[in-house]
Amino acid sequence: MEPFVRKPMLALALAALLTSGCNSADRDDKQPNFVLSANEVRLAKTLAEHELGIEPHAQSRADRVVFVKVDLLPAAETERLVMVHHYRYQGDETIFTMVNLKAAEILSQEIEAHYPTALAPGEMERALTLARADGRIQPVLQIGNIVMEARPIQFSKAGDPLFGHRVAHVLLQRDGDYLATPVIYVDLTSETVNLKN
Amino acid sequence: MLSRWKMGLLAGALAVLGLWASARAQQPDKEPSPFQVPPQPKPVNEVIQEFPSNDEMRTAWKVHWATSTGFGLTLQGAWFKRAPKEPWMQVVGDCRLSEMFVPYHSGSPRFWDISYNFSLCKVNKNEAGPHGKVLGNPPNVVCEVRDRGLAFVDTGKGGRRGQKLVLFATLDAANYRYVIEYGFQDDGVITFRVGSTGRNYGSREWEGHMHNGLWRVDVNVDGPANNSVLVMEHMEPVGAEQANAKTIHRPFNDGREGFEDWDPLKFTMLSIQNDKKRNIRNQPAAWDVMPLRHGNARHYGPDNEECTQHDFWVTQNRKGEIYYVKLPKYVAKAEPIMNTDVVVWVSTAGHHEPRSEDGEMKGTSFNGVTQLMWCGFDLRPRNVFDRSPLYP
Ligand SMILES: [Cu+2]
C-alpha cells in the first residue's frame, strides 16, 4: 500500500490537522505512552477514511460506514502503531486499518465480514433513542428509576432475521437490578426495535 | 498567471508538505549514540518491586503496565532480577487478555467482550483493600504486594513464605465484570488470571454459558530474539515395561506457527526457551506455560469460533496481530517459531452453570452477584536460576 504522502489530496485534507499545531508524531507528553491523544486518534481516523474513500457526510443509511475505535498496538519505541476500526453496514463488515502514526503511513487494510465489532458511541446513543421512543417500552420507563444501557450483540445463525445486522441489546436496570423483561434488541441496520416479553 | 486563490492553495500545500518533511526528518534513521541520550525519567506506568518487601533484597520485578478500553489492563513488558547484583532479564513483552468469549448454551447470545471495547471500572478503596495502591487516571488499577503463603518447606532448613506483586483492574462489560490480574512472584513466576463476576444476563439468569479467557503473551526470554517454543509431555507407559514413563521435549507444531491441544494424560506444558541464555548447568533459560485448567473449551458456532477450538497457538510476533479471533489467519503462513520473536496464545476457559449463590429473582428483576470464578495459567521459570530461589 502506498504511503499517504504520495497522495496530494490527502495532504491537503490534513492541512487543518497539521497547521493547528500538531504534526503527525504528536502525542500528549503529559500522558503515559499508552494513552492516544485526540490528535493521534484524529490523524489515524483521517488516514484510514481517506484510504477507504469515505465521505462521512454523504452516506446513505444502507452504505454508511462508522468509525468505531482506535487500538494502540504493541510496537518498537521508534514506531507508534494503531489499528483503526470502521464498520460498514453493507455486508456487515469490519474494516481494520493499521497506521504508523509517526510516519503518518497506512501499513495495511483488511476487511472481515460478521466480525464481533464494538458499537460506536453514536450507535449506542441511537439505539437508546430508538428504544426510548418505542411506545411498547414506555410503560416500563414510566415505572421510574430505570437506567438504560446499550451493549453489542450479534446474531450468528445465518437464518436469523437479525443475522448480519448491527444490533444493540438495550438492558434496563431499576435501582441497580437488571429487569428480566422486556428484552429489547435495537436493529440499527433497519432502525427497528425488536421486543420480546 | 496563477490566480490569488490558486497561489494560496499552492502555498498551503507546500506548507503542509514542509511540515510533513520536518516530521519525517525528526525520525532518527539509526540508533542515537549512547553518549547523546539524556537520562530518561522513570515512566509513570513502571512498577519496581524488590522481594522480600521487608528484608534484604533477594529478587525483583520491573513491570510496565498499560490500560485501554477493550483490553482493559495489559502489560507492555516485565523484567526479572534473579539476584541483587544481576542485570534485569526480560521475560515478557506485550501481554493481554486478547478476548473474552461468552457463548450461551442455547446458541445465542455469543459475546466477544474484549472486542466490544468496554471501559475499565473506577476502583474504590474497598476494592483496593488496606495495602492496595491505586494507579491510573482515572483511578482504575490496583497494585499491591501479597503474601502468597508457603513458598517451600525444606527438610533441613524449614519453610519460607513467599510474596507476589499483583496488578489488577476490572472491565465494565455491561451486566458483567471481568477482573484482569497479573501477579509477579518472588520466585520468578508470573500468574495470569481473569475472574468473571457481576450480574447474570437479563432474561437468561439461569442459563449455563462459558467464559473463555483467551490470552496473548509475547514471551521474550532475555529479549525478543532467539526464543523457541517447545512442548513438554509426560508419556506413560512406554516400551514393554508398563511401569516405564518418559518426558518428551519437542518443537511446538514441528517448529512452525500453528496450534496444539492440552492432553490431561500428558500434562501438556509449553516451554519458551532462549538457547543463547544459559545458567550454571549450561541449560537454556526458559519460562514454562503451566496450565491450571477447568477443562478444554470447544465452540462450533460461526466460522470465527475456530480460534476457540485449540488450547495453545503460537505465532511469530508481527505488527498488528493482537486479535484472538484472527488466529487461524495469523498462523496460515506457518512461519518458523524457533529462534525468533514468538507469541504464545493460551485459552483458559471456565464453565458457568448458574446457582442460587449468583442471586435471586425479586419480582421481574435479578438481585445478587456472581462470586468471582478464576481462570488462568502461570509462566514459571526453568533453568533461569542456578539454584533454588529464596533458599537460605
Ligand atoms: Cu457467567
Side-chain angles (χ1 to χ4, degrees):
Chain A
M1 192 159 294
E2 289 192 351
F4 101 100
V5 73
R6 288 177 211 152
K7 299 176 179 174
M9 285 308 291
L10 179 58
L12 285 171
L14 288 173
L17 267 178
L18 295 169
T19 51
S20 68
C22 64
N23 68 36
S24 57
D26 264 359
R27 62 176 196 84
D28 187 346
D29 286 337
K30 290 182 197 126
Q31 294 282 359
N33 64 3
F34 55 80
V35 176
L36 285 166
S37 70
N39 280 339
E40 288 179 311
V41 171
R42 217 175 298 141
L43 176 62
K45 178 175 179 289
T46 306
L47 287 167
E49 289 180 355
H50 180 267
E51 191 67 27
L52 283 167
I54 298 176
E55 292 174 48
H57 303 295
Q59 295 173 49
S60 71
R61 205 176 82 188
D63 58 23
R64 75 205 124 134
V65 176
V66 291
F67 165 70
V68 178
K69 61 170 176 171
V70 180
D71 287 333
L72 181 64
L73 298 170
E77 282 186 18
T78 51
E79 292 178 307
R80 188 129 170 107
L81 302 185
V82 293
M83 191 71 81
V84 189
H85 299 238
H86 283 85
Y87 177 78
R88 196 196 324 257
Y89 277 72
Q90 193 91 59
D92 186 27
E93 290 176 342
T94 301
I95 304 150
F96 299 81
T97 310
M98 183 160 53
V99 176
N100 180 355
L101 289 173
K102 281 198 176 173
E105 184 180 0
I106 291 174
L107 303 179
S108 67
Q109 197 159 66
E110 288 174 12
I111 297 174
E112 299 268 353
H114 313 308
Y115 191 88
T117 303
L119 292 168
E123 292 179 301
M124 298 231 242
E125 207 40 61
R126 181 70 186 148
L128 295 178
T129 303
L130 290 170
R132 242 181 251 123
D134 192 289
R136 296 167 297 170
I137 298 164
Q138 290 297 325
V140 185
L141 298 181
Q142 279 157 15
I143 298 171
N145 282 344
I146 298 283
V147 175
M148 300 174 88
E149 180 184 16
R151 64 152 301 150
I153 184 168
Q154 286 177 297
F155 289 80
S156 50
K157 278 189 197 144
D160 195 301
L162 292 178
F163 173 73
H165 286 217
R166 190 75 158 151
V167 185
H169 182 180
V170 174
L171 303 166
L172 303 178
Q173 280 182 68
R174 187 170 186 232
D175 300 327
D177 292 344
Y178 286 92
L179 302 188
T181 55
V183 179
I184 308 164
Y185 297 133
V186 178
D187 179 354
L188 293 161
T189 304
S190 64
E191 298 242 310
T192 54
V193 178
N194 294 258
L195 210 64
K196 277 203 296 183
N197 280 309
Chain B
M1 200 167 166
L2 289 170
S3 67
R4 181 171 285 188
W5 74 268
K6 278 183 182 165
M7 290 282 281
L9 191 62
L10 185 60
L14 286 171
V16 166
L17 291 172
L19 274 168
W20 163 255
S22 122
R24 297 281 294 204
Q26 283 165 25
Q27 295 170 52
D29 289 323
K30 55 185 180 186
E31 289 293 315
S33 150
F35 302 107
Q36 296 168 344
V37 179
Q40 296 293 309
K42 182 181 156 184
V44 294
N45 59 331
E46 179 175 284
V47 176
I48 294 177
Q49 180 64 50
E50 297 180 354
F51 295 108
S53 61
N54 54 357
D55 205 347
E56 202 173 317
M57 174 189 164
R58 301 289 299 272
T59 60
W61 278 102
K62 178 168 74 175
V63 179
H64 289 183
W65 56 272
T67 58
S68 67
T69 56
F71 297 98
L73 178 62
T74 63
L75 302 178
Q76 292 179 330
W79 296 259
F80 184 61
K81 205 175 259 212
R82 64 176 192 164
K85 290 185 178 158
E86 298 267 348
W88 290 112
M89 185 200 290
Q90 189 173 18
V91 182
V92 292
D94 175 86
C95 299
R96 61 185 67 216
L97 184 66
S98 173
E99 195 53 82
M100 173 53 76
F101 177 52
V102 189
Y104 279 69
H105 285 182
S106 62
S108 180
R110 306 177 84 74
F111 292 130
W112 299 87
D113 274 340
I114 295 292
S115 286
Y116 293 157
N117 206 34
F118 292 111
S119 304
L120 284 172
C121 299
K122 271 193 195 167
V123 74
N124 64 38
K125 279 201 172 265
N126 274 345
E127 291 156 1
H131 309 296
K133 187 178 168 192
V134 178
L135 309 173
N137 180 23
N140 48 22
V141 178
V142 176
C143 173
E144 63 181 321
V145 175
R146 289 184 193 162
D147 182 309
R148 63 178 179 91
L150 286 170
F152 56 75
V153 180
D154 180 39
T155 53
K157 295 180 178 169
R160 179 191 175 101
R161 292 185 76 94
Q163 291 182 305
K164 67 173 174 178
L165 166 73
V166 174
L167 290 162
F168 72 86
T170 304
L171 204 62
D172 178 350
N175 55 305
Y176 235 65
R177 297 288 179 274
Y178 295 106
V179 183
I180 301 168
E181 186 184 286
Y182 304 92
F184 302 88
Q185 295 188 179
D186 47 7
D187 61 355
V189 170
I190 308 180
T191 62
F192 295 78
R193 300 285 185 274
V194 59
S196 309
T197 181
R199 295 289 177 114
N200 286 1
Y201 189 49
S203 81
R204 308 294 187 88
E205 292 83 358
W206 306 113
E207 182 175 330
H209 55 274
M210 298 286 291
H211 294 281
N212 295 261
L214 306 170
W215 301 85
R216 177 193 193 269
V217 183
D218 177 14
V219 183
N220 290 340
V221 177
D222 198 34
N226 305 308
N227 278 228
S228 302
V229 187
L230 305 177
V231 176
M232 284 188 293
E233 293 168 315
H234 166 84
M235 302 290 281
E236 189 163 9
V238 286
E241 183 53 64
Q242 288 289 296
N244 285 1
K246 68 174 177 183
T247 305
I248 291 176
H249 299 248
R250 59 176 175 81
F252 184 98
N253 190 41
D254 294 327
R256 299 265 159 191
E257 291 179 308
F259 53 78
E260 295 247 4
D261 293 329
W262 185 73
D263 183 342
L265 299 180
K266 292 181 179 171
F267 292 75
T268 317
M269 288 192 282
L270 308 190
S271 191
I272 301 92
Q273 70 177 40
N274 185 332
D275 257 341
K276 301 273 190 305
K277 179 74 177 175
R278 302 224 161 210
N279 75 349
I280 202 164
R281 284 201 304 137
N282 196 31
Q283 296 295 309
W287 260 266
D288 297 343
V289 174
M290 304 292 300
L292 307 163
R293 306 182 73 76
H294 300 204
N296 293 354
R298 300 287 183 266
H299 301 291
Y300 303 98
D303 291 349
N304 61 18
E305 293 176 20
E306 187 185 345
C307 66
T308 70
Q309 289 164 14
H310 299 286
D311 304 312
F312 309 108
W313 300 71
V314 177
T315 59
Q316 278 194 13
N317 186 19
R318 283 184 292 260
K319 289 174 185 177
E321 296 191 352
I322 62 170
Y323 305 105
Y324 209 93
V325 174
K326 293 187 172 190
L327 265 171
K329 283 192 177 164
Y330 295 163
V331 302
K333 283 187 192 156
E335 291 191 344
I337 50 162
M338 306 297 280
N339 296 304
T340 185
D341 185 3
V342 295
V343 176
V344 175
W345 308 71
V346 184
S347 159
T348 67
H351 174 213
H352 181 183
E353 185 59 28
R355 52 191 179 127
S356 301
E357 288 78 1
D358 293 352
E360 59 188 310
M361 290 305 299
K362 283 191 170 173
T364 55
S365 56
F366 189 73
N367 178 263
V369 63
T370 297
Q371 311 291 303
L372 268 162
M373 174 175 71
W374 290 102
C375 294
F377 66 98
D378 290 352
L379 261 188
R380 189 179 71 174
R382 167 176 299 276
N383 303 322
V384 171
F385 289 88
D386 292 331
R387 54 191 63 84
S388 302
L390 311 171
Y391 194 63

PDB file of all heavy atoms in Angstrom, chain B residues 22-42:
ATOM      1  N   SER B  22       9.404  17.916   7.738  1.00  0.00           N
ATOM      2  CA  SER B  22      10.083  18.154   9.002  1.00  0.00           C
ATOM      3  C   SER B  22       9.768  17.051  10.003  1.00  0.00           C
ATOM      4  O   SER B  22      10.622  16.584  10.731  1.00  0.00           O
ATOM      5  CB  SER B  22       9.707  19.540   9.534  1.00  0.00           C
ATOM      6  OG  SER B  22       9.137  19.481  10.787  1.00  0.00           O
ATOM      7  N   ALA B  23       8.511  16.568   9.976  1.00  0.00           N
ATOM      8  CA  ALA B  23       8.151  15.460  10.869  1.00  0.00           C
ATOM      9  C   ALA B  23       8.956  14.229  10.506  1.00  0.00           C
ATOM     10  O   ALA B  23       9.425  13.495  11.358  1.00  0.00           O
ATOM     11  CB  ALA B  23       6.663  15.167  10.772  1.00  0.00           C
ATOM     12  N   ARG B  24       9.127  14.011   9.182  1.00  0.00           N
ATOM     13  CA  ARG B  24       9.904  12.854   8.727  1.00  0.00           C
ATOM     14  C   ARG B  24      11.349  12.988   9.167  1.00  0.00           C
ATOM     15  O   ARG B  24      11.977  12.032   9.593  1.00  0.00           O
ATOM     16  CB  ARG B  24       9.861  12.741   7.202  1.00  0.00           C
ATOM     17  CG  ARG B  24       8.496  12.494   6.634  1.00  0.00           C
ATOM     18  CD  ARG B  24       8.079  11.074   6.760  1.00  0.00           C
ATOM     19  NE  ARG B  24       8.908  10.193   5.935  1.00  0.00           N
ATOM     20  CZ  ARG B  24       8.497   9.016   5.507  1.00  0.00           C
ATOM     21  NH1 ARG B  24       7.297   8.577   5.824  1.00  0.00           N
ATOM     22  NH2 ARG B  24       9.274   8.242   4.790  1.00  0.00           N
ATOM     23  N   ALA B  25      11.867  14.246   9.034  1.00  0.00           N
ATOM     24  CA  ALA B  25      13.285  14.465   9.325  1.00  0.00           C
ATOM     25  C   ALA B  25      13.587  14.245  10.796  1.00  0.00           C
ATOM     26  O   ALA B  25      14.705  13.902  11.163  1.00  0.00           O
ATOM     27  CB  ALA B  25      13.672  15.884   8.912  1.00  0.00           C
ATOM     28  N   GLN B  26      12.559  14.434  11.642  1.00  0.00           N
ATOM     29  CA  GLN B  26      12.801  14.258  13.071  1.00  0.00           C
ATOM     30  C   GLN B  26      12.953  12.792  13.459  1.00  0.00           C
ATOM     31  O   GLN B  26      13.362  12.471  14.555  1.00  0.00           O
ATOM     32  CB  GLN B  26      11.643  14.861  13.875  1.00  0.00           C
ATOM     33  CG  GLN B  26      11.709  16.377  13.943  1.00  0.00           C
ATOM     34  CD  GLN B  26      10.391  16.953  14.409  1.00  0.00           C
ATOM     35  OE1 GLN B  26       9.634  16.297  15.075  1.00  0.00           O
ATOM     36  NE2 GLN B  26      10.143  18.185  14.044  1.00  0.00           N
ATOM     37  N   GLN B  27      12.609  11.900  12.547  1.00  0.00           N
ATOM     38  CA  GLN B  27      12.735  10.495  12.901  1.00  0.00           C
ATOM     39  C   GLN B  27      14.183  10.049  12.710  1.00  0.00           C
ATOM     40  O   GLN B  27      14.745  10.220  11.643  1.00  0.00           O
ATOM     41  CB  GLN B  27      11.852   9.655  11.993  1.00  0.00           C
ATOM     42  CG  GLN B  27      10.391   9.946  12.176  1.00  0.00           C
ATOM     43  CD  GLN B  27       9.613   9.274  11.090  1.00  0.00           C
ATOM     44  OE1 GLN B  27       9.768   8.082  10.868  1.00  0.00           O
ATOM     45  NE2 GLN B  27       8.823  10.041  10.390  1.00  0.00           N
ATOM     46  N   PRO B  28      14.782   9.476  13.747  1.00  0.00           N
ATOM     47  CA  PRO B  28      16.166   9.042  13.601  1.00  0.00           C
ATOM     48  C   PRO B  28      16.259   7.874  12.630  1.00  0.00           C
ATOM     49  O   PRO B  28      15.422   6.980  12.640  1.00  0.00           O
ATOM     50  CB  PRO B  28      16.539   8.597  15.013  1.00  0.00           C
ATOM     51  CG  PRO B  28      15.242   8.301  15.698  1.00  0.00           C
ATOM     52  CD  PRO B  28      14.215   9.163  15.035  1.00  0.00           C
ATOM     53  N   ASP B  29      17.280   7.928  11.767  1.00  0.00           N
ATOM     54  CA  ASP B  29      17.499   6.839  10.834  1.00  0.00           C
ATOM     55  C   ASP B  29      18.193   5.668  11.506  1.00  0.00           C
ATOM     56  O   ASP B  29      18.091   4.533  11.101  1.00  0.00           O
ATOM     57  CB  ASP B  29      18.349   7.314   9.645  1.00  0.00           C
ATOM     58  CG  ASP B  29      17.532   8.247   8.770  1.00  0.00           C
ATOM     59  OD1 ASP B  29      16.322   7.987   8.614  1.00  0.00           O
ATOM     60  OD2 ASP B  29      18.098   9.235   8.295  1.00  0.00           O
ATOM     61  N   LYS B  30      18.965   5.996  12.524  1.00  0.00           N
ATOM     62  CA  LYS B  30      19.678   4.921  13.219  1.00  0.00           C
ATOM     63  C   LYS B  30      19.652   5.214  14.710  1.00  0.00           C
ATOM     64  O   LYS B  30      19.253   6.313  15.120  1.00  0.00           O
ATOM     65  CB  LYS B  30      21.113   4.842  12.706  1.00  0.00           C
ATOM     66  CG  LYS B  30      21.862   6.155  12.805  1.00  0.00           C
ATOM     67  CD  LYS B  30      23.232   6.066  12.180  1.00  0.00           C
ATOM     68  CE  LYS B  30      23.953   7.398  12.293  1.00  0.00           C
ATOM     69  NZ  LYS B  30      25.207   7.441  11.596  1.00  0.00           N
ATOM     70  N   GLU B  31      20.050   4.283  15.484  1.00  0.00           N
ATOM     71  CA  GLU B  31      20.061   4.448  16.940  1.00  0.00           C
ATOM     72  C   GLU B  31      21.014   5.584  17.310  1.00  0.00           C
ATOM     73  O   GLU B  31      22.129   5.661  16.812  1.00  0.00           O
ATOM     74  CB  GLU B  31      20.565   3.159  17.608  1.00  0.00           C
ATOM     75  CG  GLU B  31      19.580   2.008  17.520  1.00  0.00           C
ATOM     76  CD  GLU B  31      18.331   2.259  18.335  1.00  0.00           C
ATOM     77  OE1 GLU B  31      18.457   2.715  19.478  1.00  0.00           O
ATOM     78  OE2 GLU B  31      17.251   2.030  17.806  1.00  0.00           O
ATOM     79  N   PRO B  32      20.569   6.532  18.179  1.00  0.00           N
ATOM     80  CA  PRO B  32      21.494   7.585  18.588  1.00  0.00           C
ATOM     81  C   PRO B  32      22.611   7.017  19.456  1.00  0.00           C
ATOM     82  O   PRO B  32      22.456   5.966  20.071  1.00  0.00           O
ATOM     83  CB  PRO B  32      20.599   8.522  19.400  1.00  0.00           C
ATOM     84  CG  PRO B  32      19.423   7.704  19.807  1.00  0.00           C
ATOM     85  CD  PRO B  32      19.267   6.628  18.793  1.00  0.00           C
ATOM     86  N   SER B  33      23.736   7.723  19.462  1.00  0.00           N
ATOM     87  CA  SER B  33      24.852   7.280  20.282  1.00  0.00           C
ATOM     88  C   SER B  33      24.444   7.297  21.746  1.00  0.00           C
ATOM     89  O   SER B  33      23.707   8.173  22.185  1.00  0.00           O
ATOM     90  CB  SER B  33      26.025   8.234  20.060  1.00  0.00           C
ATOM     91  OG  SER B  33      26.801   8.309  21.226  1.00  0.00           O
ATOM     92  N   PRO B  34      24.923   6.344  22.538  1.00  0.00           N
ATOM     93  CA  PRO B  34      24.561   6.330  23.957  1.00  0.00           C
ATOM     94  C   PRO B  34      25.019   7.587  24.682  1.00  0.00           C
ATOM     95  O   PRO B  34      24.447   7.968  25.699  1.00  0.00           O
ATOM     96  CB  PRO B  34      25.264   5.084  24.508  1.00  0.00           C
ATOM     97  CG  PRO B  34      26.196   4.617  23.456  1.00  0.00           C
ATOM     98  CD  PRO B  34      25.743   5.198  22.150  1.00  0.00           C
ATOM     99  N   PHE B  35      26.032   8.276  24.122  1.00  0.00           N
ATOM    100  CA  PHE B  35      26.538   9.493  24.777  1.00  0.00           C
ATOM    101  C   PHE B  35      25.571  10.668  24.625  1.00  0.00           C
ATOM    102  O   PHE B  35      25.640  11.636  25.346  1.00  0.00           O
ATOM    103  CB  PHE B  35      27.911   9.864  24.209  1.00  0.00           C
ATOM    104  CG  PHE B  35      28.904   8.748  24.377  1.00  0.00           C
ATOM    105  CD1 PHE B  35      29.304   8.005  23.290  1.00  0.00           C
ATOM    106  CD2 PHE B  35      29.404   8.422  25.636  1.00  0.00           C
ATOM    107  CE1 PHE B  35      30.201   6.964  23.442  1.00  0.00           C
ATOM    108  CE2 PHE B  35      30.304   7.367  25.792  1.00  0.00           C
ATOM    109  CZ  PHE B  35      30.709   6.643  24.689  1.00  0.00           C
ATOM    110  N   GLN B  36      24.655  10.561  23.642  1.00  0.00           N
ATOM    111  CA  GLN B  36      23.730  11.668  23.396  1.00  0.00           C
ATOM    112  C   GLN B  36      22.409  11.510  24.140  1.00  0.00           C
ATOM    113  O   GLN B  36      21.579  12.388  24.128  1.00  0.00           O
ATOM    114  CB  GLN B  36      23.427  11.770  21.896  1.00  0.00           C
ATOM    115  CG  GLN B  36      24.648  12.120  21.087  1.00  0.00           C
ATOM    116  CD  GLN B  36      24.384  11.932  19.593  1.00  0.00           C
ATOM    117  OE1 GLN B  36      23.437  11.293  19.190  1.00  0.00           O
ATOM    118  NE2 GLN B  36      25.264  12.514  18.795  1.00  0.00           N
ATOM    119  N   VAL B  37      22.207  10.349  24.760  1.00  0.00           N
ATOM    120  CA  VAL B  37      20.899  10.088  25.359  1.00  0.00           C
ATOM    121  C   VAL B  37      20.870  10.597  26.799  1.00  0.00           C
ATOM    122  O   VAL B  37      21.628  10.130  27.627  1.00  0.00           O
ATOM    123  CB  VAL B  37      20.582   8.572  25.328  1.00  0.00           C
ATOM    124  CG1 VAL B  37      19.237   8.295  25.983  1.00  0.00           C
ATOM    125  CG2 VAL B  37      20.600   8.058  23.901  1.00  0.00           C
ATOM    126  N   PRO B  38      20.006  11.581  27.067  1.00  0.00           N
ATOM    127  CA  PRO B  38      19.919  12.047  28.446  1.00  0.00           C
ATOM    128  C   PRO B  38      19.237  10.987  29.310  1.00  0.00           C
ATOM    129  O   PRO B  38      18.524  10.137  28.792  1.00  0.00           O
ATOM    130  CB  PRO B  38      19.031  13.305  28.327  1.00  0.00           C
ATOM    131  CG  PRO B  38      18.220  13.076  27.106  1.00  0.00           C
ATOM    132  CD  PRO B  38      19.053  12.235  26.186  1.00  0.00           C
ATOM    133  N   PRO B  39      19.476  11.004  30.613  1.00  0.00           N
ATOM    134  CA  PRO B  39      18.823  10.010  31.463  1.00  0.00           C
ATOM    135  C   PRO B  39      17.302  10.131  31.368  1.00  0.00           C
ATOM    136  O   PRO B  39      16.763  11.237  31.431  1.00  0.00           O
ATOM    137  CB  PRO B  39      19.314  10.354  32.871  1.00  0.00           C
ATOM    138  CG  PRO B  39      19.926  11.707  32.773  1.00  0.00           C
ATOM    139  CD  PRO B  39      20.295  11.941  31.357  1.00  0.00           C
ATOM    140  N   GLN B  40      16.659   9.016  31.167  1.00  0.00           N
ATOM    141  CA  GLN B  40      15.209   9.026  30.997  1.00  0.00           C
ATOM    142  C   GLN B  40      14.522   8.982  32.365  1.00  0.00           C
ATOM    143  O   GLN B  40      14.914   8.200  33.220  1.00  0.00           O
ATOM    144  CB  GLN B  40      14.771   7.797  30.188  1.00  0.00           C
ATOM    145  CG  GLN B  40      15.296   7.779  28.757  1.00  0.00           C
ATOM    146  CD  GLN B  40      14.700   8.879  27.900  1.00  0.00           C
ATOM    147  OE1 GLN B  40      13.491   9.035  27.842  1.00  0.00           O
ATOM    148  NE2 GLN B  40      15.557   9.672  27.263  1.00  0.00           N
ATOM    149  N   PRO B  41      13.497   9.820  32.562  1.00  0.00           N
ATOM    150  CA  PRO B  41      12.749   9.705  33.809  1.00  0.00           C
ATOM    151  C   PRO B  41      12.006   8.375  33.848  1.00  0.00           C
ATOM    152  O   PRO B  41      11.687   7.809  32.806  1.00  0.00           O
ATOM    153  CB  PRO B  41      11.781  10.884  33.751  1.00  0.00           C
ATOM    154  CG  PRO B  41      11.649  11.198  32.306  1.00  0.00           C
ATOM    155  CD  PRO B  41      12.937  10.819  31.650  1.00  0.00           C
ATOM    156  N   LYS B  42      11.741   7.888  35.042  1.00  0.00           N
ATOM    157  CA  LYS B  42      11.021   6.619  35.179  1.00  0.00           C
ATOM    158  C   LYS B  42       9.617   6.773  34.601  1.00  0.00           C
ATOM    159  O   LYS B  42       8.906   7.721  34.943  1.00  0.00           O
ATOM    160  CB  LYS B  42      10.948   6.282  36.668  1.00  0.00           C
ATOM    161  CG  LYS B  42      10.278   4.985  36.993  1.00  0.00           C
ATOM    162  CD  LYS B  42      10.242   4.791  38.496  1.00  0.00           C
ATOM    163  CE  LYS B  42       9.102   3.852  38.857  1.00  0.00           C
ATOM    164  NZ  LYS B  42       8.922   3.673  40.273  1.00  0.00           N
TER     165      LYS B  42
END
